[in-house]
Amino acid sequence: MTSIGTGYDLSNSVFSPDGRNFQVEYAVKAVENGGTAIGIRCKDGVVLGLEKLVSSKLLKKDANKRISTVDRNMGVVYSGLQPDGKHFVSRARDEASSWRSTYKAPIPVSSLANRMGSYVQAYTLYNSVRPFGITAIIGGYDAETELSVDGAVGSGPKSGSGGKTKGAKEGGPYLYMIEPSGTYWGYYGAASGKGRQAAKSELEKLKLDPKDGECISLEEGVKEAARIIYVAHEDNKDKDFELELTWVSSVAGPTKGRHEEVPKALREEAEKLAKKSMEGDEDDEEEEKMEE
Amino acid sequence: MNHLPQAWGRPRDDIYGAYDHSYLPQTHANTHPTTHTQSPVVTGTSVLGLKFKDGVVLAADNLASYGSLARFTDVKRLKPFNRKAVVGFGGDVSDMQYLDRLLNSLDVQENYSGAATTEEDDGEAPAATADGEGGEDKHKAILDAKNLHTYLSKVLYKRRSDFNPLWNAILVAGLTTPPPPAPSTSTSSPKDTTTSKPTGPAPSRKPIPYLAYADLLGTTYSSPTLATGFGAHLAVPIMRRAVPDEAAAAKLSREEAVEIVKKCMKVLFYRDARSMNEYSLCVIDGKGVDLQENIKLEGESWAFAEGIKGYGTQTV
Amino acid sequence: MFRNNYDNDSVTFSPQGRIFQVEYAQEAVKQGSVVVGIVSKTHAVLAALKRNAEELSSYQKKIIPIDTHYGIALAGLASDARVLSNFMKQQSLASRLTYDRPIPLSEITSRIGDRAQTNTQHYGKRPYGVGLLIAGVDQKGPHLFEFQPSGVTQEMVACGIGARSQMARTYLERNLDEFEGSSREELIKHALRALKDSLAQDKELTIENTSLGVAGVDENFKMYEGQEIANWLETTFERPEGGEGEGMEVDS
């Protein structure tokens, strides 16, 4: 059934006779026009990457960061409308902060995804608002080591179990993606935006599912993320872009449990490898043609 | 006659009958007046602060007392905020925890652009990247000690104005960047625009030591030597002997400053009954924050007490 | 009356995922007279072309100093800019009061961006009809930000918005590499030349219709108008009489 001309697509929160909310589907269209964003959940951390399309030569280079920190151990990247993304991030920060004031500890990634999923979904319920024109990818690292309660002053009892289960393992790297409908899933590798199809097929080639044995490492993840963004940019070659990469590891890892920008040296290396692999592909294609 | 606070200013029941609350708004009817913390419960004692030529020394012991009971002996009262600011808390420990959480959330907020910050802007960059002697301040954009002191004093003043004070006396120590020498609006009058004079990069201003006090009343002051609580009586005179003014502080070395503070901590342990012989000591300078949390008092000797007469069970 | 069914309000996406009301608001910016902004390593400059309603009326306000360290230039609905500038002034004062710190420009820009975004997501509100250039110096150095009615905010090296501003942007793009190392005076000249490029053929920059705003490291934001900018206009655009420029001045 077509949406246009029926009138069912003119207002949010209205179902069409076949049970669709067209305004949400149109919001998805806004996302599909945006630069590609990806997230990779690696063995020892999460990498977020973004193909940031450069709309003008007058923009300041390396400013205008789009991947945001929500809490110390968590980051968000999004495709779609920049102002909607900023709103989303601002709400996520409020959620993380209010969680801290209630529980005196950082919010787990799954809980943040849940709360933000509910928030985004609420914008599909009323005709007085429009849905978010973004798809957001949340990546973070829930601490595995026991964290002290925020504001603790002593070290607590020196003996006794303290109600903990011995040997119970918790925490680790987590990755979620939230769509304009409010739907969210956990992912090993997630992609959104214009080049998501190409990015997805690249992500599927990586070893990310723990069931298939050892996953790729964080550092490999960074290089793959750079490469995948370059692959995803192929369809959009006429536009310039800047590569943005952030990562988060465990407290023992390179970022010390924090969500940070990938250090310049590593990013440049990853970018160089990405460019090289692109050239390689082209050569292959040419060779193939030659053979033909 | 009823002397309880909720009866103050009201007609006496024994003459006029029970007070009729019915006309009052529901929130006020039949309730006690709102009360807030009237006194601290678990408390920490003095915090000491001393400026030296390129930084500040801060010290506080690790004791939290419940009245006269030495209740907790591993309480850390010096809280680093970032590489430029440390806060030392005296007074109520639960209010200190509240303020610590407040500072924690402020730090998270300040680092939101953290993913976007380059390494040199990061408030908690490794000390290796910091060049203590270098003229240029690589961390000029982070909240410094002065910003933090302003913020905390506003929080304290707000709470006291709500009749709900945070029962603390605090010292904020660290570094701050002095304001430009003279606030100039225009460097060139329209006349000399013809001579296009190149304006080079601004003379980078070096951060200077900063030390200030704020308390539950919202009172603030600053001095090269500061102490809260008993320390204001017992330690400040000792510190002032060595550092009477800013000029003296500007000549003091780090080692000398630490030595003076350690001496004061000893005097305080001898004379302040709510203190203990284990303490935290922190030095903040251009290289960052150096915090030691389990220093034992050295050369402890009670021999001097032999000579003191007139207390306790002694019969002279 | 409407071009299509999807442009009645700012809470309706078109089938292509566009929000027409927001796009129309961007058009309002293009109706306003041109403003230009540039930053160097040490300075941030705003230049604006002021219009007057008629010969005998005063000229409009295009540059608004907000705090001692920065100011804004506007293109579009001036009354919307006034609402935003009042908000910015309040926020800037709050930062000085609470932290004794001049508000970082990225911070204040993002706050008005967030405010504008709300207007594009809720029924009964309209997007702001104004574009702003926010220029000044904070603890991280000189900055220039662009603000659009959609809530998009971007940090720029140079920027021009308003009527015929494409010509100004072309000038800026052509001279992009020179800005970073420019001195204060050179930067002002670049801004004036960019502004001039977007004027209609028969128009000139005069002391009546031009405004400048300058901030630098250790130099507070200040607006220059009228006689104060005469010399800059004179030296930037050497008139055809060029050589006898000095003589001309004696005459006046």
Side-chain angles (χ1 to χ4, degrees), chain A residues 206-276:
Chain A
L206 303 179
K207 272 178 90 174
L208 297 175
D209 187 342
K211 283 202 287 288
D212 306 338
E214 183 113 310
C215 304
I216 64 167
S217 72
L218 192 56
E219 208 153 301
E220 287 173 273
V222 167
K223 288 168 188 164
E224 290 297 344
R227 189 180 62 79
I228 293 172
I229 292 291
Y230 270 85
V231 170
H233 184 68
E234 278 293 280
D235 304 336
N236 207 4
K237 250 187 161 171
D238 48 322
K239 284 184 187 154
D240 273 350
F241 81 105
E242 268 180 33
L243 174 68
E244 220 180 301
L245 285 175
T246 66
W247 61 349
V248 52
S249 74
S250 72
V251 178
T255 79
K256 302 189 180 68
R258 285 165 170 270
H259 172 249
E260 289 174 349
E261 216 174 290
V262 171
K264 208 172 162 209
L266 180 56
R267 193 194 68 201
E268 279 170 359
E269 190 197 337
E271 213 163 349
K272 210 165 75 191
L273 288 172
K275 280 178 189 159
K276 212 168 148 193

Side-chain angles (χ1 to χ4, degrees), chain C residues 40-56:
Chain C
S40 70
K41 232 179 205 156
T42 53
H43 287 86
V45 170
L46 293 173
L49 176 71
K50 297 182 286 185
R51 282 200 283 236
N52 57 344
E54 49 189 288
E55 195 70 15
L56 295 175

Side-chain angles (χ1 to χ4, degrees), chain A residues 4 9-10 23 26-27 29-30 33 55 57-60 63-64 82-84 86-87 123 128-132, chain C residues 5-6 10-17 19 117 120-123 150-158 173 176:
Chain A
I4 302 161
D9 66 341
L10 294 177
Q23 275 295 307
Y26 295 171
K29 285 280 192 305
N33 296 330
S55 56
K57 271 198 248 173
L58 299 175
L59 281 163
K60 187 170 172 185
N64 300 306
Q82 186 226 42
D84 283 22
K86 285 189 137 185
H87 175 182
Y123 278 77
S128 55
V129 293
R130 63 169 172 79
F132 278 86
Chain C
N5 286 321
Y6 303 99
S10 56
V11 296
T12 308
F13 278 109
S14 80
Q16 291 74 244
I19 307 164
Q117 193 275 343
T120 70
Q121 203 172 14
H122 295 265
Y123 187 81
S150 59
V152 168
T153 58
Q154 290 171 313
E155 180 159 12
M156 316 290 284
V157 174
E173 280 179 24
L176 194 56

Side-chain angles (χ1 to χ4, degrees), chain A residues 38-276:
Chain A
I38 61 164
I40 305 178
R41 178 184 176 277
C42 309
K43 183 177 66 186
D44 45 357
V46 179
V47 187
L48 299 177
L50 175 69
E51 169 209 18
K52 188 168 59 193
L53 299 171
V54 176
S55 56
S56 162
K57 271 198 248 173
L58 299 175
L59 281 163
K60 187 170 172 185
K61 293 225 164 43
D62 290 321
N64 300 306
K65 296 294 179 206
R66 279 260 309 269
I67 309 184
S68 320
T69 300
V70 163
D71 201 332
R72 290 194 180 110
N73 61 332
M74 225 173 293
V76 170
V77 61
Y78 51 87
S79 302
L81 311 178
Q82 186 226 42
D84 283 22
K86 285 189 137 185
H87 175 182
F88 178 94
V89 167
S90 155
R91 175 67 187 201
R93 286 169 175 171
D94 289 350
E95 290 290 352
S97 155
S98 91
W99 182 282
R100 267 187 192 268
S101 66
T102 309
Y103 300 105
K104 317 300 181 205
I107 189 169
V109 187
S110 59
S111 303
L112 184 77
N114 180 272
R115 289 192 169 196
M116 291 313 294
S118 304
Y119 187 71
V120 170
Q121 188 270 158
Y123 278 77
T124 69
L125 285 177
Y126 311 97
N127 62 13
S128 55
V129 293
R130 63 169 172 79
F132 278 86
I134 57 156
T135 287
I137 298 172
I138 304 178
Y141 206 105
D142 293 347
E144 291 160 315
T145 47
E146 198 182 311
L147 289 178
S148 64
V149 171
D150 280 0
V153 288
S155 46
K158 291 198 171 68
S159 58
S161 68
K164 280 164 232 145
T165 318
K166 254 196 180 162
K169 194 185 170 295
E170 38 187 304
Y174 290 99
L175 183 68
Y176 288 85
M177 183 159 80
I178 305 179
E179 294 160 32
S181 60
T183 311
Y184 73 93
W185 301 98
Y187 286 86
Y188 294 131
S192 72
K194 204 160 200 167
R196 70 196 172 289
Q197 291 303 354
K200 271 186 204 166
S201 63
E202 289 300 318
L203 284 166
E204 281 164 11
K205 292 179 199 160
L206 303 179
K207 272 178 90 174
L208 297 175
D209 187 342
K211 283 202 287 288
D212 306 338
E214 183 113 310
C215 304
I216 64 167
S217 72
L218 192 56
E219 208 153 301
E220 287 173 273
V222 167
K223 288 168 188 164
E224 290 297 344
R227 189 180 62 79
I228 293 172
I229 292 291
Y230 270 85
V231 170
H233 184 68
E234 278 293 280
D235 304 336
N236 207 4
K237 250 187 161 171
D238 48 322
K239 284 184 187 154
D240 273 350
F241 81 105
E242 268 180 33
L243 174 68
E244 220 180 301
L245 285 175
T246 66
W247 61 349
V248 52
S249 74
S250 72
V251 178
T255 79
K256 302 189 180 68
R258 285 165 170 270
H259 172 249
E260 289 174 349
E261 216 174 290
V262 171
K264 208 172 162 209
L266 180 56
R267 193 194 68 201
E268 279 170 359
E269 190 197 337
E271 213 163 349
K272 210 165 75 191
L273 288 172
K275 280 178 189 159
K276 212 168 148 193

Side-chain angles (χ1 to χ4, degrees), chain C residues 88-104:
Chain C
M88 292 168 89
K89 285 173 185 172
Q90 281 169 7
Q91 296 290 313
S92 306
L93 282 174
S95 173
R96 292 209 182 251
L97 186 70
T98 319
Y99 301 104
D100 193 14
R101 167 171 81 162
I103 197 164

